[in-house]
Structures are given as structure tokens and as C-alpha cells.
């Protein structure tokens, strides 16, 4: 049994805290005393008091919710976004302990670099019998296509992560290496922001090291690899369906890098180029967050839909640097841990300062026999797995927990197919406190530490993040199984530097030229603008219709019958209080925005999410008539708030222009169509009044046309008035301006086709009289404006 907890200077949170037997506890030392750093933290938390502390923790969780931080979870029902689960009590590590950890990890990172260089180069380790050839030849992470390809940067590894656990004797182990496409650094940043929201005064008093300096150094090291004057560094993501896509977008926005998908890239003359609205632009450095096998369907995984054909060919020509190099995922193989001690001695002439968890590859007789003889102390799992044992409990067996039948089956498998299995020492992870119902309880954790190659060597993020179990079961540490994430505070006895990503006063800077917008991002921005405007137009029509429905006391009005026929082809059912067509427009805007999270402000995303939640909540509670009229007023107010936020806050770069173009195209098409329907001479009674209401021009019409207020005046105001922001002519004038500011796609002096089309439409409409605007002409105008959208796609997105 552990010693009773002794805490002379703290009381409230520690009441009832009981460390686990035979397990190291981060907060309580073996004698039962609270460790010094923890004592300082607990004393400050007790001073805050339970009520205020709960409020502060709720504020941290609310920040993560508002920022849209999520983790994608996969289960038998499909995929869903799980809000980021912050464990509010940080993990504390003393600065001196941290320095010992990072020294050992720097040595390990150098060793991993040498191993992967040898595997894809001289093969000395296999030739000298240090590494079994089977371990490489049968490994799906070994990529034959890149054998002998030297990285353009001269290094295979630039960014690594390490999973650490602490043994009962207090010593740190390495449970696994992350070299393929390590995730989590962005989540570590968000953990820090959230915990600072709750405990800024506490962290300041404890001299907690800041994180920004690490990212600044790594950003600078990536930029230093850019050799082409027009080249750039970018982050490559598998796309929005990836479990950590939020982090990809967050890091891209934080560092100021483009976030690209495989379709954004093409290989031309051996060089990797990004498709932008200004044409092809070179990419010199790609920080890939995509598994290597999916990178090139020509030479790697043939059925990959997310890669870039020709990428391996570009690597052979050393025209692009990948972080990390293709093939480095082989270092994550669980069985490789069994050979690291021998490899370290063979290559570096010494043992590793920070050892791995004890591992035996069962493809060797002696090692297999050892695992079989000590099965009760073993975890046995797939040799080629890249997951930690507790992340892979479906395939990993805990020897001590097996019944007689399962034990016999496993022993037989070890005997017949030992090459496919590894045995690892069954670990007891140390515990860290979590906050549960106002008290602290111990939970097992794994510490993830991040390392980046910089001009000064390996640099370490001073904190990382800890994955903490939801329960005492180590399997519950995995994020896919409900695990939590805790901020990690590296504490110092003295003041720490106030690092920031902002440049110093005398640092040189370069403003990025317009037009480096990827075509995919531009397309999503344009469609987001269209969807938002479509939702607004639909909401205005629904409000006008349901107001009249309520006034008619459920009698069927001819005007409403006309509107029902008008809306049906657009997918809007007037008999439904909240039609699915309206929800689909807002969902479309959300989908487009989700694909450009790196280019979309957190405030804008929050406003859009709020709008989406409002619409879907109305589905269950709103009835036709007055209820819908009020609901649409709320929706329009939120849409106006979102549009105002974008209009006032979004930088007027090329992306904003495509967003604005989408809005103007959709508004002009919608106005032309509704005018064609409701401005007919034989339209039902009340059609003109409804037109003015839908066009938000009732007051303007009264002021402008005090003498004559018939059908032609409505047509003039909503189609031909260049000063009315709802008129078709106003939209074409705006489109003409925006088209003129778009990047040119060639060096020709001839006027672009897009500009010719909008000028012709604008001129034709500007010289028209209201009496000439027949329904047929209005429908034709809507069609021609739609053609403008197609021309934009052909010009900039194809």
C-alpha cells in the first residue's frame, strides 16, 4: 500500500486522494509527500476555491467549444466530431527533469535519423546482422520506390514526437516513436491557450515555459529550406475527414503557411507546383500530415485519391523537401524497439540514455522462448503495428488477463508465427491527478513530447501534451476511446523568456504578393458566398410568405400558391416551417468553410456554427405562420451578423474577392428569378409588395417613387437602380470591379473572357428600360449570370 498522503500546506483538493499501489504518481512522492511544484499549484488552486475554480475550468472548456476544437472519432456508426476533451489540471514537470528527458530524446532522434538513412541507403545494419532483413522486407512501411533517394534537405527527419511513460521506480521510458506524420503539436497549443484562460495567474506565478519559441524556430527552419525565390513552404493534409484536420488548419494559420491537399498540387517538369488562381506556383517544402503510402498513386498506393501523381519523381530530382521524408514511418514499427539497444551500440558506441519499453521480437528463437516463458508479464501484439499497445487492445493481448483457452491459442500462435508478433513488458503507467467533481483522482497518462530540427539542432516543445485516461484502465488513454488531454507545464525556479511568434523590431519582413491563393480554397470561398446568399434569399422569401399565411388565417392565397410553385424546383417546401432547402444552404456554407479552416477566422467560424445550430434547432420547435416569420427574422439577423463580420474584418486579399463574387452572383440570380415570377402583369394580388419586402426595399421605394409606384417602378428599383445594393445592376457593377482585380492567368493583352462577359451583361442591362424587362429576359439574364460562375470555374478552378 502507498504511504498516506502528507500535505501540510494544502487541504481541499487533496481530500481523499489515494495514489495507486506499485505505481509512480506525478504529484505524490513514494513517502506520501506532495512534490514541491505540485504543492505550490495545489495551494494556489485551494486559494481560488472550489466554486471559482469550477467557473474557471468551465471558461476553459467554453473557449475550446467556441474555437471549434475537435477530434474526429471513428466507430461502428461512422465518424463524428468529438469536442476536444481537456483535463483541466496540468501535468507538472520540473525544468531539471525536463532537461534530462530532452537530452535523452535528442540522442534518440539522432539515432532514428541514422537508422532510416541506413535502411534507405547503405543497409549496413542488415549487412552486419544487427537488424533482421525480415523486419524490413515484410514491413508495409518500407517503401521500395524511395530506396536510394537522398532527401533534398539532407535529412530524413525534421519533426518527431515521442510517447513517454514513467516506470514505478520513477524512470522515464519511451513507449513509441512518432516519425511518420506526428500529430498533436497544434492541440498542445490549444491546451495551453485554454489552460491559460483558466489559470493565467497561477501559471505566471509558477514560471511556466512558453511554447511560441519552439514554433518560431521550426517555422524559420522550414523557411530556410525554400531555395526558389518564388517558392514557399506549406502543410499537406489528407483533408477535412482526417481525425486531426482541425490541428492541420490551426497550425497552418498559426505559422502563416498554406494548407494544401493532394489535389492542390501537380508535378510539372519534375517540380512540385501548387494550383493557384494565378497559375502554377512552386512549392519547395511540404510539412506532410499524410501517411507516406498515400502520397503518390503512381508509385505508391495505387488507389490513393488524396495523393499527387509524380511526387516520388520530384523527390528523386530533389526539387522538394518533405517533412518527414517518405519511408520514415518504418521507424514507428513496434518490433524495431527490440533492436534499438544493439543499433545504438553499433552506430553510436553507447547505450541509449532514455531506454525504450522492454521489447522482444518473436521471430528469433531465444526471444520467442523468453516471451512464452514469461507470458504473464507480457503484452503480445502485432510486430509491424505502429500503435502503442493500449491503443490497439483489439489486437494486443495482456498475458496475465487471458483464460486458459486464449492462453493456449496465443502460445500456439507464438510457436507457429512468431515473426508476426512482439512481446513487450506489461507496463504500469504512472498517474497524474485529474479534476473530478471538485476533487482530485489519479489517472494513468502518456506524455507526448515534440522535437523539431532547427539550425541549432533538435529543439523541444517545452510542454507537449499528456493523454490522460478517462478511467484507471490504460486502454481509456487513447483519444479514440474517450481519453482526455492535459496541458504540460515545464516549471522553472526563476523567470522564463517571453517568446512570441511576432518578429523583433529590426527583423526583415516580406509581404506575400496577392494571388497565392490555392484554386481549391478560392472555389470553396466562392461557394460559401453563394450558399450564404442563397440562405438569406430563401429566409426572406419564407418570412414574407409565412407572414401572409398567418394573416390569411390558413386560407390559401393565390400569391402563396404561386410562391409554392416557384420554390418547389429550388428544393424549398413552403408547407414546411423550416424547409430542408434552407438547412442545406447553411450546411453547404459550413462544409465549404470547413475545407478552408486555415483561411477562415475563428470568429467567422463561430458565427457560422451558431447559425447552423439555430436552424437545426428550429426544425423541432417552429410551426408555420407567425412562428416561422419570427424564426426567419432571427436567422436573417444572424446572417447579417455573419456577413458584417466577414465584410468588416476579412482582409481584402484574393480570397475575399472570390467570396464577394459568390455573394454577388447568387444575389443577382436570385433577384432575376424572383422578379421574373412576381413582376408579371398577371401576377397575383400583393406580388409587388412581396417583391419589395423580399428585396428589402420597401422604404426606398416609397422615397424614390412617391408619385408612381406601379410594376415598372419595382422593376426599375430592383433591377436597374445602380445605387440599390439589392438591384441586379448593382451586383453586376460590383462583379465588374472584382473581376478587374482578380489575378491575370496569362500575359495576353487581350481583355479576359470573364471581363468581356460581365461588361456585356452590365452594359446591356444599364441601357434597358424597365418596360423591356420581360419575364423571359429576366430568366435569360439569370442564366447568363450563371454562365459567369461557370467561366470563373473554368478560368481559376479547373
Amino acid at each position: 500500500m502507498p504511504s498516506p498522503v502528507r500535505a501540510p500546506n494544502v487541504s481541499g483538493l487533496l481530500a481523499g486522494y489515494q495514489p495507486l499501489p506499485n505505481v509512480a504518481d506525478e504529484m505524490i512522492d513514494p513517502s506520501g509527500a506532495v512534490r514541491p511544484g505540485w504543492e505550490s499549484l495545489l495551494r494556489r488552486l485551494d486559494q481560488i476555491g472550489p466554486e471559482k475554480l469550477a467557473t474557471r475550468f468551465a471558461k476553459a472548456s467554453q473557449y475550446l467549444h467556441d474555437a471549434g476544437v475537435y477530434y474526429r472519432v471513428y466507430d461502428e456508426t461512422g465518424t463524428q466530431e468529438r469536442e476536444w476533451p481537456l483535463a483541466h489540471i496540468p501535468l507538472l514537470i520540473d525544468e531539471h527533469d525536463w532537461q534530462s528527458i530532452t537530452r535523452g530524446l535528442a540522442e534518440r532522434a539522432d539515432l532514428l535519423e541514422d537508422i532510416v538513412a541506413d535502411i534507405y541507403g547503405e543497409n549496413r545494419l542488415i549487412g552486419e546482422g544487427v537488424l533482421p532483413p525480415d523486419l524490413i522486407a515484410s514491413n508495409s512501411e518500407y517503401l521500395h520506390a524511395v530506396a536510394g533517394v537522398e532527401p533534398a534537405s539532407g535529412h530524413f527527419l525534421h519533426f518527431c514526437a515521442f510517447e513517454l511513460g514513467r516506470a514505478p521506480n520513477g524512470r522515464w521510458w519511451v513507449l513509441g516513436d512518432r516519425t511518420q506524420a506526428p500529430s498533436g503539436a497544434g492541440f498542445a497549443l490549444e491546451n495551453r491557450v485554454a489552460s491559460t484562460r483558466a489559470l493565467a495567474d497561477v501559471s505566471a506565478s509558477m514560471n511556466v515555459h512558453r511554447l511560441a519559441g519552439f514554433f518560431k524556430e521550426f517555422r524559420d527552419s522550414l523557411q530556410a529550406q525554400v531555395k526558389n525565390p518564388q517558392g514557399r513552404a506549406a502543410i499537406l493534409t489528407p483533408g477535412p475527414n482526417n481525425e486531426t484536420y482541425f490541428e492541420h488548419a490551426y497550425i497552418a494559420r498559426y505559422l502563416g503557411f498554406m494548407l494544401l491537399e493532394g489535389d492542390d498540387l501537380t508535378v510539372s517538369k519534375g517540380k512540385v507546383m501548387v494550383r493557384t488562381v494565378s497559375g502554377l506556383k512552386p512549392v519547395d517544402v511540404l510539412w506532410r500530415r499524410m501517411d507516406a503510402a498515400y502520397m503518390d498513386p503512381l508509385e505508391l498506393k495505387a488507389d490513393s485519391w488524396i495523393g499527387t501523381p509524380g511526387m516520388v519523381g520530384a523527390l528523386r530530382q530533389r526539387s522538394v523537401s518533405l517533412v518527414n521524408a517518405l519511408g520514415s514511418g518504418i521507424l514507428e514499427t513496434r518490433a524495431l524497439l527490440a533492436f534499438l539497444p544493439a543499433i545504438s551500440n553499433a552506430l553510436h558506441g553507447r547505450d541509449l540514455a532514455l531506454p525504450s519499453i522492454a521489447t522482444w521480437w518473436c521471430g528469433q528463437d531465444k526471444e520467442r522462448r523468453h516471451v512464452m516463458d514469461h507470458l504473464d508479464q507480457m503484452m503480445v501484439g502485432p510486430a509491424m503495428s505502429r500503435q502503442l499497445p493500449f491503443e490497439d487492445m483489439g489486437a494486443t493481448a495482456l498475458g496475465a488477463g487471458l483464460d486458459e483457452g486464449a492462453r493456449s491459442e496465443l502460445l500456439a500462435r507464438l510457436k507457429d508465427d512468431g515473426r508476426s508478433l512482439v512481446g513487450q513488458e506489461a507496463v504500469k503507467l504512472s498517474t497524474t491527478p485529474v479534476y473530478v467533481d471538485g476533487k482530485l483522482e489519479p489517472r494513468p497518462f502518456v506524455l507526448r513530447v515534440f522535437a523539431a530540427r532547427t539550425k541549432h539542432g533538435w529543439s523541444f516543445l517545452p510542454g507537449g501534451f499528456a493523454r490522460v485516461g478517462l478511467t484507471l484502465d490504460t486502454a481509456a488513454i487513447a483519444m479514440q476511446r474517450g481519453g482526455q488531454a492535459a496541458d504540460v507545464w515545464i516549471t522553472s525556479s526563476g523567470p522564463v523568456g517571453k517568446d512570441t511568434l511576432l518578429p523583433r523590431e529590426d527583423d526583415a519582413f516580406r509581404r506575400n504578393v496577392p494571388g497565392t491563393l490555392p484554386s481549391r480554397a478560392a472555389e470553396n470561398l466562392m461557394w460559401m458566398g453563394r450558399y450564404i446568399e442563397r440562405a438569406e434569399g430563401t429566409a426572406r422569401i419564407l418570412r414574407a410568405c409565412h407572414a401572409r399565411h398567418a394573416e390569411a388565417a390558413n386560407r390559401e392565397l393565390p400569391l402563396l400558391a404561386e410562391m409554392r410553385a416557384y420554390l418547389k424546383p429550388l428544393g424549398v417546401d413552403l408547407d414546411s416551417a423550416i424547409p430542408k432547402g434552407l438547412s442545406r444552404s447553411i450546411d453547404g456554407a459550413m462544409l465549404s468553410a470547413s475545407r478552408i479552416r486555415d483561411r477562415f477566422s475563428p470568429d467567422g467560424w463561430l458565427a457560422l456554427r451558431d447559425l447552423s445550430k439555430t436552424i437545426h434547432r428550429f426544425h423541432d420547435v417552429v410551426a408555420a405562420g407567425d412562428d416561422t416569420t419570427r424564426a426567419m427574422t432571427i436567422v436573417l439577423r444572424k446572417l447579417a451578423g455573419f456577413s458584417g463580420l466577414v465584410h468588416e474584418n476579412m482582409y481584402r486579399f484574393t480570397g475575399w474577392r472570390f467570396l464577394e463574387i459568390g455573394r454577388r452572383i447568387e444575389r443577382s440570380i436570385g433577384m432575376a428569378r424572383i422578379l421574373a415570377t412576381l413582376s408579371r402583369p398577371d401576377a397575383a394580388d400583393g406580388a409587388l409588395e412581396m417583391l419589395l419586402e423580399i428585396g428589402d426595399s420597401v422604404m426606398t421605394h416609397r422615397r424614390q417613387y412617391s408619385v408612381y409606384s406601379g410594376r415598372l417602378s419595382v422593376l426599375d428599383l430592383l433591377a436597374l437602380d445602380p445605387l440599390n445594393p439589392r438591384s441586379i445592376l448593382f451586383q453586376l457593377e460590383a462583379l465588374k470591379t472584382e473581376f478587374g482585380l482578380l489575378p491575370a492567368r496569362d500575359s495576353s493583352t487581350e481583355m479576359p473572357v470573364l471581363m468581356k462577359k460581365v461588361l456585356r451583361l452590365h452594359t446591356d442591362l444599364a441601357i434597358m428600360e424597365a418596360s423591356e424587362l420581360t419575364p423571359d429576359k429576366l430568366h435569360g439574364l439569370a442564366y447568363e449570370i450563371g454562365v459567369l460562375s461557370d467561366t470563373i470555374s473554368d478560368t481559376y478552378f479547373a
Side-chain angles (χ1 to χ4, degrees):
M1 292 294 291
S3 302
V5 174
R6 296 183 289 105
N9 297 319
V10 291
S11 55
L13 283 171
L14 265 183
Y17 188 85
Q18 186 62 49
L20 302 181
N22 303 316
V23 170
D25 190 277
E26 294 301 306
M27 184 171 66
I28 309 298
D29 71 18
S31 72
V34 178
R35 301 180 195 273
W38 286 96
E39 183 174 334
S40 178
L41 173 64
L42 294 176
R43 186 169 62 251
R44 286 168 171 81
L45 297 183
D46 276 343
Q47 288 169 354
I48 294 170
E51 291 186 6
K52 290 184 178 179
L53 195 59
T55 300
R56 288 189 180 204
F57 288 162
K59 186 184 296 184
S61 296
Q62 186 64 45
Y63 161 76
L64 293 169
H65 171 81
D66 290 345
V69 185
Y70 72 89
Y71 184 86
R72 191 172 296 281
V73 177
Y74 307 99
D75 56 29
E76 60 278 359
T77 64
T79 69
Q80 56 183 324
E81 292 180 4
R82 177 192 178 200
E83 291 195 1
W84 188 248
L86 180 68
H88 294 98
I89 302 296
L91 171 67
L92 303 188
I93 300 178
D94 178 75
E95 185 176 56
H96 298 293
D97 194 9
W98 181 251
Q99 289 170 355
S100 176
I101 290 171
T102 56
R103 279 196 301 269
L105 291 179
E107 173 193 64
R108 188 182 187 91
D110 284 337
L111 179 64
L112 294 176
E113 170 73 29
D114 291 344
I115 293 172
V116 71
D118 180 78
I119 288 173
Y120 289 99
E122 296 181 6
N123 278 309
R124 172 187 161 192
L125 293 171
I126 291 177
E128 295 179 0
V130 181
L131 199 57
D134 280 4
L135 202 60
I136 306 302
S138 60
N139 196 319
S140 62
E141 288 301 322
Y142 179 71
L143 305 181
H144 295 271
V146 295
V149 176
E150 184 179 351
S153 67
H155 296 286
F156 285 81
L157 303 180
H158 296 267
F159 192 86
C160 306
F162 304 93
E163 307 280 13
L164 304 185
R166 199 194 288 265
N169 64 5
R171 190 175 184 187
W172 290 98
W173 291 309
V174 177
L175 303 174
D177 304 295
R178 295 286 178 250
T179 54
Q180 173 77 271
S183 64
F187 290 123
L189 267 174
E190 285 286 35
N191 286 346
R192 177 59 55 86
V193 174
S195 67
T196 301
R197 292 287 177 103
L199 303 171
D201 52 341
V202 179
S203 62
S205 68
M206 295 185 65
N207 299 318
V208 176
H209 283 266
R210 300 175 73 165
L211 308 181
F214 169 85
F215 289 99
K216 184 177 187 299
E217 278 197 279
F218 186 50
R219 181 192 64 187
D220 292 347
S221 73
L222 293 183
Q223 295 284 21
Q225 295 181 48
V226 176
K227 307 302 181 185
N228 190 320
Q230 292 187 328
R232 66 212 70 229
I235 296 174
L236 182 64
T237 174
N241 291 327
N242 185 262
E243 61 187 2
T244 57
Y245 176 74
F246 170 85
E247 183 199 24
H248 306 169
Y250 180 80
I251 285 287
R253 190 165 58 238
Y254 184 70
L255 298 181
F257 289 162
M258 286 194 297
L259 183 66
L260 304 176
E261 297 181 24
D263 272 352
D264 292 327
L265 299 171
T266 186
V267 176
S268 176
K269 298 179 181 179
K271 294 183 178 180
V272 178
M273 313 290 281
V274 57
R275 296 183 176 95
T276 79
V277 294
S278 298
L280 298 180
K281 301 293 182 182
V283 176
D284 288 1
V285 182
L286 281 172
W287 181 5
R288 67 177 178 91
R289 304 302 301 272
M290 183 188 301
D291 282 1
Y294 293 89
M295 289 285 292
D296 185 347
L298 287 182
E299 300 200 52
L300 299 173
K301 193 174 176 61
D303 59 352
S304 171
W305 289 87
I306 58 176
T308 304
M311 180 65 73
V312 172
L315 292 176
R316 292 194 186 103
Q317 295 196 31
R318 304 188 73 192
S319 65
V320 66
S321 177
L322 288 186
V323 176
N324 288 326
L326 296 189
S328 55
I330 197 169
L331 298 171
E332 297 184 357
T333 306
R334 199 183 294 182
L336 187 65
L337 296 177
F339 299 93
L340 286 189
I343 294 173
S344 181
N345 277 288
L347 295 182
H348 293 175
R350 61 181 181 272
D351 293 333
L352 282 168
L354 202 60
S356 309
I357 178 177
T359 304
W360 296 266
W361 180 50
C362 298
Q364 300 163 299
D365 292 340
K366 180 181 177 181
E367 285 74 10
R368 180 171 61 252
R369 176 50 55 193
H370 176 86
V371 171
M372 295 173 70
D373 290 345
H374 299 84
L375 196 58
D376 287 342
Q377 291 83 46
M378 294 287 170
M379 300 177 292
V380 180
M384 301 303 174
S385 174
R386 292 163 44 214
Q387 293 181 297
L388 301 186
F390 65 80
E391 295 175 323
D392 192 25
M393 294 307 291
T396 299
L398 186 62
L402 298 176
D403 59 32
E404 196 59 39
R407 183 186 182 88
S408 297
E409 185 178 332
L410 180 57
L411 287 170
R413 188 180 170 199
L414 281 164
K415 184 177 180 180
D416 297 337
D417 189 26
R419 294 168 55 186
S420 69
L421 298 171
V422 291
Q424 294 182 291
E425 181 182 357
V427 297
K428 290 186 176 181
L429 298 173
S430 64
T431 57
T432 190
V434 297
Y435 186 77
V436 181
D437 298 328
K439 300 293 181 184
L440 298 183
E441 296 182 5
R443 293 289 186 271
F445 77 94
V446 170
L447 172 63
R448 182 173 292 184
V449 180
F450 300 94
R453 187 184 295 280
T454 71
K455 63 182 180 180
H456 304 298
W458 288 106
S459 176
F460 290 86
L461 181 68
F465 79 90
R467 289 186 289 166
V468 184
L470 189 63
T471 67
L472 292 174
D473 181 6
T474 54
I477 291 176
M479 302 300 290
Q480 290 287 340
R481 296 173 179 265
Q484 307 170 84
D487 191 11
V488 179
W489 290 5
I490 309 303
T491 60
S492 174
S493 57
V496 297
K498 295 184 177 180
D499 298 317
T500 174
L501 242 62
L502 294 174
R504 296 190 303 270
E505 195 66 32
D506 58 345
D507 281 353
F509 68 91
R510 182 185 68 179
R511 179 184 294 164
N512 288 333
V513 296
T516 55
L517 178 71
S519 297
R520 175 187 52 83
E523 185 173 19
N524 278 292
L525 282 162
M526 189 183 82
W527 276 101
M528 183 172 69
R530 291 197 64 171
Y531 281 128
I532 285 294
E533 189 61 39
R534 188 176 299 174
E536 182 180 339
T538 303
R540 289 187 178 281
I541 291 173
L542 290 173
R543 184 173 66 172
C545 289
H546 281 272
R548 285 155 178 77
H549 173 77
E551 292 169 1
N554 295 323
R555 287 185 295 109
E556 179 67 11
L557 298 175
L559 179 58
L560 294 182
E562 285 192 17
M563 290 308 299
R564 184 175 289 104
Y566 169 78
L567 290 169
K568 187 175 181 180
L570 304 179
V572 178
D573 181 8
L574 191 55
D575 294 322
S576 174
I578 308 293
K580 290 182 179 179
L582 176 60
S583 303
R584 280 196 293 267
S585 293
I586 293 175
D587 289 343
M590 282 285 291
L591 180 61
S592 294
S594 73
R595 291 170 172 165
I596 48 170
R597 286 293 299 273
D598 59 312
R599 296 178 176 272
F600 205 59
S601 77
D603 286 340
W605 177 254
L606 180 60
L608 200 52
R609 282 186 67 192
D610 179 55
L611 181 62
S612 177
K613 288 180 180 179
T614 298
I615 277 292
H616 288 285
R617 185 174 67 249
F618 281 167
H619 274 291
D620 301 324
V621 298
V622 172
D626 281 338
D627 253 12
T628 299
T629 304
R630 286 191 292 270
M632 290 305 101
T633 298
I634 293 171
V635 169
L636 286 169
R637 189 169 66 242
K638 289 179 182 279
L639 280 164
F642 172 78
S643 297
L645 185 69
V646 169
H647 186 81
E648 293 299 324
N649 294 347
M650 195 170 178
Y651 187 77
R652 295 317 196 247
F653 75 127
T654 310
W656 182 86
R657 303 202 182 286
F658 280 97
L659 178 65
E660 185 71 1
I661 285 167
R663 290 181 61 232
R664 298 301 178 185
I665 285 176
E666 191 65 33
R667 181 174 290 187
S668 53
I669 290 174
M671 183 56 70
R673 285 174 173 168
I674 195 69
L675 277 173
T677 298
L678 295 182
S679 69
R680 301 188 328 271
D682 61 342
D685 288 344
L688 296 180
E689 289 81 358
M690 180 179 278
L691 261 177
L692 290 170
E693 188 176 328
I694 292 169
D696 197 20
S697 298
V698 174
M699 295 301 295
T700 304
H701 186 263
R702 288 175 185 169
R703 285 196 302 268
Q704 297 292 96
Y705 306 93
S706 56
V707 177
Y708 177 73
S709 57
R711 185 177 68 88
L712 295 182
S713 68
V714 174
L715 280 166
D716 183 67
L717 179 63
L718 295 180
L720 303 177
D721 192 329
L723 301 181
N724 183 5
R726 293 282 168 180
S727 78
I728 302 172
L729 189 63
F730 187 96
Q731 314 314 314
L732 292 175
E733 179 68 40
L735 287 171
K736 187 174 65 170
T737 300
E738 297 303 337
F739 287 174
L741 294 170
L742 289 178
R745 291 306 300 261
D746 56 49
S747 57
S748 171
T749 57
E750 186 178 341
M751 183 182 294
V753 172
L754 192 58
M755 199 65 186
K756 284 182 180 179
K757 288 185 177 181
V758 74
L759 277 173
R760 186 178 296 115
L761 283 174
H762 180 272
T763 302
D764 289 347
L765 188 61
I767 62 176
M768 274 191 184
E769 298 292 336
S771 58
E772 299 177 71
L773 287 172
T774 64
D776 285 345
K777 280 193 176 179
L778 286 165
H779 279 303
L781 183 59
Y783 172 80
E784 291 298 332
I785 296 170
V787 171
L788 283 181
S789 182
D790 295 339
T791 306
I792 293 170
S793 297
D794 293 341
T795 305
Y796 291 103
F797 309 152

